[in-house]
Amino acid sequence: MNQNSSSSRDPVVLNYENFQLHESDVHLLIDDQWLNDIVIGFYMEYLNTDVFKNNSKVYFVTPQVVQCIKECNVEDITVFLDPLVKDKNYSYIFFPLNDQEQLHSVGGTHWSLVVYSALDRRLYHLDSIWNSNEKQARKLALKLKFYFKDILDIITPLPTRQQQNSYDCGIYLICNAENVAQCVCADSDIHNIDPVDQVDLKNKRASIVDLIYKLARRNITL
Protein backbone atom coordinates (compact mmCIF):
# COMPACT_ATOMS: atom_id res chain seq x y z
CA MET A 1 0.00 0.00 0.00
CA ASN A 2 1.19 3.53 -0.75
CA GLN A 3 2.52 5.15 2.44
CA ASN A 4 0.73 8.44 1.79
CA SER A 5 -2.53 6.57 1.28
CA SER A 6 -2.04 4.72 4.55
CA SER A 7 -1.27 7.98 6.39
CA SER A 8 -4.38 9.65 5.02
CA ARG A 9 -6.51 6.76 6.22
CA ASP A 10 -5.06 6.88 9.73
CA PRO A 11 -3.57 10.35 10.23
CA VAL A 12 -1.20 11.22 13.06
CA VAL A 13 -2.96 13.13 15.83
CA LEU A 14 -0.04 13.70 18.20
CA ASN A 15 3.72 13.32 18.36
CA TYR A 16 4.75 13.24 22.01
CA GLU A 17 8.25 12.33 23.16
CA ASN A 18 8.85 8.87 21.66
CA PHE A 19 5.18 8.19 20.88
CA GLN A 20 3.12 8.86 17.79
CA LEU A 21 -0.63 8.56 18.26
CA HIS A 22 -2.80 7.99 15.24
CA GLU A 23 -6.51 8.59 14.85
CA SER A 24 -7.10 4.83 15.31
CA ASP A 25 -5.39 4.99 18.72
CA VAL A 26 -7.63 7.84 19.84
CA HIS A 27 -10.70 5.92 18.68
CA LEU A 28 -9.83 3.12 21.11
CA LEU A 29 -10.57 5.64 23.86
CA ILE A 30 -13.66 7.10 22.22
CA ASP A 31 -15.25 3.76 21.30
CA ASP A 32 -14.77 2.02 24.67
CA GLN A 33 -12.26 -0.48 23.34
CA TRP A 34 -9.30 -2.33 24.89
CA LEU A 35 -6.32 0.04 25.01
CA ASN A 36 -3.13 -0.77 23.13
CA ASP A 37 0.46 -0.27 24.24
CA ILE A 38 0.73 2.99 22.27
CA VAL A 39 -1.99 4.71 24.30
CA ILE A 40 -0.73 3.36 27.62
CA GLY A 41 2.89 4.07 26.72
CA PHE A 42 1.99 7.64 25.80
CA TYR A 43 0.28 8.15 29.15
CA MET A 44 3.20 6.69 31.12
CA GLU A 45 5.49 9.09 29.26
CA TYR A 46 3.09 11.95 29.99
CA LEU A 47 3.24 11.13 33.71
CA ASN A 48 7.04 11.21 33.56
CA THR A 49 7.34 14.31 31.41
CA ASP A 50 4.48 16.55 32.55
CA VAL A 51 2.70 15.39 35.70
CA PHE A 52 5.67 14.19 37.78
CA LYS A 53 8.43 16.10 35.98
CA ASN A 54 11.65 16.31 38.01
CA ASN A 55 10.09 14.20 40.78
CA SER A 56 12.75 11.97 42.27
CA LYS A 57 10.26 9.60 43.92
CA VAL A 58 8.49 8.00 40.96
CA TYR A 59 9.24 6.72 37.47
CA PHE A 60 6.93 5.11 34.92
CA VAL A 61 8.33 2.48 32.55
CA THR A 62 6.58 2.13 29.19
CA PRO A 63 4.77 -1.13 28.39
CA GLN A 64 7.06 -1.75 25.44
CA VAL A 65 10.07 -1.91 27.78
CA VAL A 66 8.16 -3.97 30.35
CA GLN A 67 7.33 -6.55 27.68
CA CYS A 68 11.00 -6.79 26.73
CA ILE A 69 12.00 -7.26 30.37
CA LYS A 70 9.35 -9.90 30.95
CA GLU A 71 10.27 -11.98 27.92
CA CYS A 72 14.04 -11.43 27.64
CA ASN A 73 16.88 -13.47 29.11
CA VAL A 74 17.84 -12.32 32.60
CA GLU A 75 21.31 -11.28 31.49
CA ASP A 76 19.74 -8.77 29.08
CA ILE A 77 17.61 -6.92 31.66
CA THR A 78 20.30 -4.31 32.31
CA VAL A 79 20.13 -3.28 28.65
CA PHE A 80 16.54 -2.14 29.16
CA LEU A 81 16.54 -0.86 32.74
CA ASP A 82 19.97 0.67 33.30
CA PRO A 83 19.41 3.67 30.99
CA LEU A 84 16.12 4.42 32.77
CA VAL A 85 16.67 3.81 36.48
CA LYS A 86 20.31 3.09 37.29
CA ASP A 87 21.69 5.52 39.90
CA LYS A 88 18.39 7.46 39.89
CA ASN A 89 17.30 6.25 43.37
CA TYR A 90 13.57 6.29 42.61
CA SER A 91 11.39 5.25 45.55
CA TYR A 92 8.70 3.73 43.31
CA ILE A 93 8.93 2.39 39.77
CA PHE A 94 5.75 1.57 37.84
CA PHE A 95 5.53 -1.31 35.35
CA PRO A 96 2.41 -1.59 33.11
CA LEU A 97 1.99 -5.31 32.52
CA ASN A 98 0.34 -7.12 29.60
CA ASP A 99 -0.40 -10.83 29.32
CA GLN A 100 1.04 -11.13 25.80
CA GLU A 101 3.82 -13.74 25.92
CA GLN A 102 5.36 -13.09 22.51
CA LEU A 103 8.15 -10.51 22.40
CA HIS A 104 7.72 -9.47 18.78
CA SER A 105 3.93 -9.70 18.48
CA VAL A 106 1.23 -7.22 19.39
CA GLY A 107 -1.88 -8.33 21.20
CA GLY A 108 -2.75 -9.56 24.64
CA THR A 109 -6.04 -9.49 26.49
CA HIS A 110 -5.39 -7.93 29.89
CA TRP A 111 -3.44 -5.11 31.56
CA SER A 112 -2.45 -4.77 35.21
CA LEU A 113 0.11 -2.76 37.18
CA VAL A 114 3.25 -3.83 39.06
CA VAL A 115 4.92 -1.29 41.37
CA TYR A 116 8.42 -1.71 42.74
CA SER A 117 8.90 -0.07 46.13
CA ALA A 118 12.53 0.52 47.03
CA LEU A 119 11.37 1.51 50.51
CA ASP A 120 9.74 -1.86 51.37
CA ARG A 121 11.78 -3.89 48.87
CA ARG A 122 8.59 -5.36 47.47
CA LEU A 123 6.75 -5.69 44.17
CA TYR A 124 3.08 -4.76 44.45
CA HIS A 125 0.48 -5.95 41.95
CA LEU A 126 -2.79 -4.13 41.23
CA ASP A 127 -5.09 -6.21 39.02
CA SER A 128 -8.59 -5.02 38.08
CA ILE A 129 -9.65 -8.62 37.34
CA TRP A 130 -8.39 -10.27 40.49
CA ASN A 131 -5.48 -12.67 39.86
CA SER A 132 -6.00 -12.69 36.08
CA ASN A 133 -2.45 -11.51 35.49
CA GLU A 134 -0.85 -13.34 38.42
CA LYS A 135 1.16 -15.65 36.16
CA GLN A 136 2.51 -12.72 34.16
CA ALA A 137 3.18 -10.68 37.30
CA ARG A 138 5.24 -13.50 38.76
CA LYS A 139 7.11 -13.91 35.48
CA LEU A 140 7.99 -10.21 35.50
CA ALA A 141 8.77 -10.28 39.22
CA LEU A 142 11.39 -13.01 38.80
CA LYS A 143 13.19 -10.86 36.22
CA LEU A 144 12.97 -7.75 38.39
CA LYS A 145 14.18 -9.66 41.43
CA PHE A 146 17.27 -10.60 39.46
CA TYR A 147 17.83 -6.92 38.62
CA PHE A 148 17.04 -5.20 41.94
CA LYS A 149 18.36 -8.10 44.07
CA ASP A 150 16.81 -6.79 47.29
CA ILE A 151 13.16 -7.82 46.70
CA LEU A 152 11.75 -9.78 49.64
CA ASP A 153 8.75 -11.54 48.08
CA ILE A 154 7.97 -12.53 44.51
CA ILE A 155 4.75 -10.50 44.37
CA THR A 156 2.45 -8.77 46.87
CA PRO A 157 -1.14 -8.13 45.73
CA LEU A 158 -2.74 -4.79 46.59
CA PRO A 159 -6.53 -4.38 46.73
CA THR A 160 -7.94 -2.39 43.82
CA ARG A 161 -11.32 -1.69 42.26
CA GLN A 162 -12.54 -4.43 39.93
CA GLN A 163 -13.64 -3.62 36.40
CA GLN A 164 -17.20 -4.38 35.41
CA ASN A 165 -16.57 -5.05 31.72
CA SER A 166 -14.03 -6.78 29.48
CA TYR A 167 -12.26 -3.74 28.03
CA ASP A 168 -11.39 -1.22 30.76
CA CYS A 169 -8.27 -2.88 32.22
CA GLY A 170 -6.03 -0.28 30.57
CA ILE A 171 -8.04 2.55 32.09
CA TYR A 172 -7.78 0.95 35.53
CA LEU A 173 -4.03 0.55 35.06
CA ILE A 174 -3.61 4.23 34.15
CA CYS A 175 -5.82 5.43 37.01
CA ASN A 176 -4.12 3.13 39.52
CA ALA A 177 -0.66 4.30 38.46
CA GLU A 178 -1.59 7.96 38.76
CA ASN A 179 -3.43 7.44 42.04
CA VAL A 180 -0.61 5.49 43.71
CA ALA A 181 2.01 7.97 42.49
CA GLN A 182 0.10 11.00 43.77
CA CYS A 183 -0.37 9.36 47.15
CA VAL A 184 3.20 8.17 47.69
CA CYS A 185 4.50 11.57 46.56
CA ALA A 186 2.34 13.01 49.35
CA ASP A 187 4.05 10.55 51.74
CA SER A 188 1.05 8.23 52.15
CA ASP A 189 1.72 4.59 52.99
CA ILE A 190 1.17 2.47 49.87
CA HIS A 191 -0.79 -0.05 51.95
CA ASN A 192 -3.33 2.59 53.02
CA ILE A 193 -4.04 4.25 49.68
CA ASP A 194 -7.73 4.70 48.92
CA PRO A 195 -9.00 3.05 45.72
CA VAL A 196 -9.37 5.16 42.61
CA ASP A 197 -12.56 7.21 42.62
CA GLN A 198 -15.30 5.67 40.47
CA VAL A 199 -16.01 9.03 38.85
CA ASP A 200 -12.37 9.33 37.80
CA LEU A 201 -12.52 5.87 36.23
CA LYS A 202 -15.73 6.75 34.38
CA ASN A 203 -14.34 10.02 33.03
CA LYS A 204 -10.77 8.96 32.29
CA ARG A 205 -11.27 8.04 28.65
CA ALA A 206 -12.73 11.44 27.82
CA SER A 207 -10.07 13.24 29.82
CA ILE A 208 -7.27 11.42 27.96
CA VAL A 209 -8.84 12.29 24.61
CA ASP A 210 -9.04 15.95 25.70
CA LEU A 211 -5.40 15.75 26.83
CA ILE A 212 -4.24 14.35 23.49
CA TYR A 213 -5.86 17.18 21.53
CA LYS A 214 -4.63 19.76 24.03
CA LEU A 215 -1.04 18.53 23.60
CA ALA A 216 -1.50 18.47 19.83
CA ARG A 217 -2.59 22.14 19.89
CA ARG A 218 0.39 22.95 22.11
CA ASN A 219 2.72 21.40 19.55
CA ILE A 220 1.23 23.55 16.80
CA THR A 221 1.89 26.76 18.74
CA LEU A 222 5.51 25.88 19.56
Side-chain angles (χ1 to χ4, degrees):
M1 181 182 290
N2 181 280
Q3 186 173 359
N4 290 333
S5 174
S6 177
S7 299
S8 64
R9 291 187 179 191
D10 193 12
V12 174
V13 175
L14 173 66
N15 285 299
Y16 183 87
E17 299 297 320
N18 296 317
F19 287 89
Q20 187 174 78
L21 277 78
H22 289 258
E23 196 171 88
S24 59
D25 299 312
V26 178
H27 277 294
L28 297 177
L29 291 156
I30 295 173
D31 296 337
D32 285 347
Q33 296 186 54
W34 188 87
L35 300 188
N36 62 16
D37 60 342
I38 300 298
V39 174
I40 292 176
F42 149 72
Y43 204 83
M44 296 299 107
E45 199 62 50
Y46 169 70
L47 293 176
N48 281 327
T49 305
D50 278 79
V51 180
F52 297 96
K53 183 179 181 180
N54 300 323
N55 192 308
S56 60
K57 279 194 172 184
V58 296
Y59 183 80
F60 303 84
V61 183
T62 63
Q64 293 83 355
V65 173
V66 175
Q67 185 69 6
C68 289
I69 295 167
K70 179 166 68 77
E71 300 300 332
C72 76
N73 296 322
V74 290
E75 59 267 21
D76 295 328
I77 298 173
T78 56
V79 174
F80 301 106
L81 276 180
D82 274 3
L84 303 176
V85 305
K86 187 178 180 180
D87 300 325
K88 300 294 198 309
N89 297 316
Y90 295 116
S91 301
Y92 297 89
I93 303 174
F94 295 74
F95 296 88
L97 174 67
N98 187 268
D99 63 355
Q100 170 62 267
E101 294 191 325
Q102 301 300 317
L103 185 56
H104 301 293
S105 301
V106 297
T109 60
H110 187 52
W111 292 102
S112 60
L113 176 68
V114 171
V115 182
Y116 168 65
S117 169
L119 305 180
D120 328 8
R121 297 182 293 162
R122 293 183 184 277
L123 289 167
Y124 294 100
H125 188 210
L126 295 88
D127 193 339
S128 57
I129 301 179
W130 192 251
N131 288 338
S132 290
N133 254 7
E134 183 179 8
K135 176 185 174 183
Q136 300 301 319
R138 289 181 173 275
K139 187 175 183 180
L140 175 64
L142 288 171
K143 301 293 178 63
L144 294 178
K145 189 169 185 178
F146 177 86
Y147 182 83
F148 291 111
K149 302 189 186 307
D150 64 347
I151 296 172
L152 297 176
D153 292 327
I154 294 299
I155 202 77
T156 302
L158 275 186
T160 185
R161 291 199 189 278
Q162 300 294 284
Q163 64 191 81
Q164 302 302 310
N165 54 49
S166 61
Y167 51 79
D168 263 344
C169 52
I171 293 296
Y172 278 70
L173 183 162
I174 285 171
C175 288
N176 280 329
E178 198 162 10
N179 181 53
V180 170
Q182 288 171 343
C183 291
V184 297
C185 286
D187 296 324
S188 295
D189 188 321
I190 194 170
H191 301 93
N192 299 326
I193 292 174
D194 291 331
V196 176
D197 191 277
Q198 293 278 29
V199 174
D200 291 339
L201 288 164
K202 181 179 179 181
N203 295 334
K204 196 62 176 179
R205 285 179 179 269
S207 72
I208 297 175
V209 172
D210 290 344
L211 170 66
I212 290 169
Y213 285 109
K214 177 183 176 181
L215 293 172
R217 290 191 296 271
R218 186 176 77 177
N219 287 351
I220 292 172
T221 60
L222 291 178

